[in-house]
């Protein structure tokens, strides 16, 4: 994949046995970091159902993405979505983000306002900085 870069990489690699070993391996996350643009994001779905895989993955993400990552717990499940930033964390205006969430809720009937609140609450201390969407 020489020279190929993506603005967004989505990782949701589960089957009936859980997350594939090759996906939660450090090498996979390192490769994903190389493939994403400096201002891009890697979105990873993890589950707490397998605590060893979850803990290993989170530890790896913390070391590979020191700029930060955001956690969004999935209500009603043991899953969490991690948004990892390789080089530059986004700068966010919370008032603007809340207005946008309301607009999206009206257009889609999805709970974007709740997603935003959950992400903000569960991503501390990363959110203590001036983050923007």
């Amino acid at each position: 994949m020489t020279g190929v870069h993506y603005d967004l990489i989505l990782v949701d690699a589960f089957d009936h046995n859980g997350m594939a070993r090759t996906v939660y391996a450090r090498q996979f996350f390192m490769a994903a970091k190389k493939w994403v643009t400096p201002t891009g994001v890697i979105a990873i779905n993890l589950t707490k159902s397998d605590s060893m895989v979850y803990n290993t993955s989170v530890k790896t993400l913390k070391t590979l993405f020191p700029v930060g990552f955001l956690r969004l717990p999935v209500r009603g499940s043991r899953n969490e979505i991690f948004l990892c930033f390789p080089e530059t964390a986004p700068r966010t205006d919370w008032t603007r983000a809340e207005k946008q969430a309301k607009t999206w809720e009206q257009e889609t009937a999805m709970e974007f306002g709740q997603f935003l609140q959950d992400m903000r609450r569960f991503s501390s201390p990363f959110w203590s900085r001036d983050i923007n969407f």
Side-chain angles (χ1 to χ4, degrees):
M1 297 194 106
T2 306
V4 176
H5 290 92
Y6 303 94
D7 294 321
L8 174 63
I9 296 175
L10 301 173
V11 181
D12 189 14
F14 288 89
D15 64 15
H16 63 283
N17 293 318
M19 191 174 195
R21 287 187 173 273
T22 54
V23 174
Y24 69 84
R26 182 179 181 85
Q27 294 81 359
F28 175 84
F29 291 130
M30 288 171 58
K33 185 176 179 179
K34 288 179 185 176
W35 295 338
V36 73
T37 61
T39 58
V41 64
I42 302 168
I44 304 166
N45 181 29
L46 294 177
T47 182
K48 291 182 177 181
S49 295
D50 185 334
S51 61
M52 189 278 298
V53 171
Y54 177 84
N55 292 333
T56 300
S57 298
V58 172
K59 183 178 177 181
T60 300
L61 295 175
K62 284 181 179 179
T63 59
L64 290 178
F65 299 96
V67 169
F69 58 82
L70 306 176
R71 291 174 50 211
L72 175 60
V74 178
R75 289 176 172 245
S77 82
R78 298 185 45 83
N79 288 25
E80 287 186 337
I81 298 169
F82 284 74
L83 303 177
C84 304
F85 304 98
E87 293 182 22
T88 307
R91 311 264 322 142
T92 303
D93 173 348
W94 282 106
T95 303
R96 181 173 169 238
E98 289 169 359
K99 286 179 184 175
Q100 185 63 58
K102 286 179 184 177
T103 299
W104 288 343
E105 282 182 353
Q106 292 169 352
E107 293 174 358
T108 65
M110 293 181 67
E111 301 170 334
F112 284 102
Q114 190 64 57
F115 297 159
L116 190 62
Q117 287 177 8
D118 289 348
M119 192 181 310
R120 190 173 186 179
R121 187 175 66 213
F122 287 96
S123 295
S124 281
F126 186 63
W127 282 113
S128 63
R129 293 188 266 155
D130 182 26
I131 308 295
N132 257 307
F133 276 103

